[in-house]
Amino acid sequence: MPTVSGQSEPFVPGPSPSDLEQIPAVFRDDVESVLIGADDIHGRLDELAAEVDHDYAGRELLLIGVLKGAVFAMADVARRLTIPASMDFMAVSSYGSATSSSGVVRILKDLDTDIEGRDVLIIEDIVDSGLTLDYLMKNLRSRRPASVEVLSLLTKPARREIELPIRYVGFEIPDVFVVGYGLDFGERYRGLRSIATLKPEVYAG
Ligand code: IMP
């Protein structure tokens, strides 16, 4: 699995100078560095979608996107799949500070679909402590689907408080707060095409 870190790891995506140029001028001063460029994200999603296609060949999937962070991952995975896949969304709010969750989760928007007997693939933007996903998986399993698996674009293993089986992982990243490709800080930066870190003064407000 690709790993993004300063150490000598198997794979370090290389953001190109154009990754910084792609950041809208109004946000460019806020960005400290581009951790994963748009091309690397799309290349990795090609690989993950091919794995999903292979693993679920002959079956029909229900993709469940976790709003709002997973919107782009959901769209980009869904349009790469060649197996039949329907889409549904949940919105959850996790109580906590601006940059970490507490595991106390509230469902803001539930599914429209009855998932009993269905093969479900949860699409997540990032798994950090794992508390939100742990709640979500328990909640969905109680509805008796045929299977529940997870695809997450990013994971921060160093922050994990609960071990969870994440079947498809885009990139492992270090313990840094990131924005872009659906991820926000105070509802900003979701639309960035790459995954980036912000300058400390931005977090300080
Ligand atoms: P967890 O419950 O700690 O795993 O947190 C999961 C949720 O926290 C994610 O779905 C994101 O919404 C948010 N989150 C965690 N880390 C980051 C980050 O680095 N940037 C933006 N949001 C994050």
Side-chain angles (χ1 to χ4, degrees):
M1 174 201 318
T3 303
V4 183
S5 87
Q7 276 95 61
S8 52
E9 299 286 355
F11 172 71
V12 179
S16 62
S18 69
D19 285 320
L20 251 189
E21 283 161 27
Q22 280 177 7
I23 292 177
V26 69
F27 293 135
R28 212 170 292 153
D29 276 351
D30 296 350
V31 169
E32 185 175 64
S33 68
V34 173
L35 201 61
I36 309 172
D39 291 346
D40 289 320
I41 295 173
H42 290 292
R44 186 69 185 128
L45 290 178
D46 286 342
E47 293 172 354
L48 290 183
E51 275 181 48
V52 174
D53 265 342
H54 175 266
D55 294 349
Y56 290 89
R59 288 148 77 187
E60 196 161 332
L61 254 186
L62 173 63
L63 305 175
I64 296 182
V66 184
L67 295 172
K68 304 171 196 168
V71 279
F72 298 116
M74 177 77 158
D76 281 341
V77 168
R79 63 182 156 190
R80 280 168 169 77
L81 295 177
T82 60
I83 56 167
S86 37
M87 293 191 249
D88 204 341
F89 291 92
M90 277 182 93
V92 296
S93 95
S94 180
Y95 292 101
S97 70
T99 57
S100 71
S101 72
S102 64
V104 181
V105 177
R106 195 160 54 105
I107 295 180
L108 301 176
K109 183 221 171 291
D110 207 341
L111 299 173
D112 299 329
T113 319
D114 178 2
I115 65 170
E116 187 170 348
R118 305 285 306 269
D119 286 313
V120 166
L121 181 61
I122 301 173
I123 309 283
E124 267 282 16
D125 49 358
I126 190 165
V127 182
D128 186 28
S129 68
L131 296 172
T132 307
L133 185 58
D134 182 57
Y135 169 86
L136 211 55
M137 289 188 80
K138 285 183 180 144
N139 182 294
L140 293 180
R141 283 207 181 104
S142 73
R143 307 181 197 195
R144 306 200 303 167
S147 66
V148 183
E149 299 288 350
V150 180
L151 182 155
S152 183
L153 178 68
L154 303 175
T155 177
K156 284 187 207 170
R159 301 249 315 167
R160 197 74 89 252
E161 291 178 33
I162 296 182
E163 270 323 303
L164 291 168
I166 307 176
R167 182 140 170 200
Y168 308 97
V169 176
F171 301 93
E172 278 189 5
I173 62 167
D175 181 8
V176 287
F177 192 83
V178 291
V179 296
Y181 199 76
L183 291 157
D184 74 308
F185 176 65
E187 290 301 324
R188 298 185 114 189
Y189 314 104
R190 286 194 200 275
L192 302 186
R193 294 159 57 94
S194 46
I195 302 285
T197 56
L198 298 174
K199 291 178 183 161
E201 57 264 34
V202 179
Y203 298 118

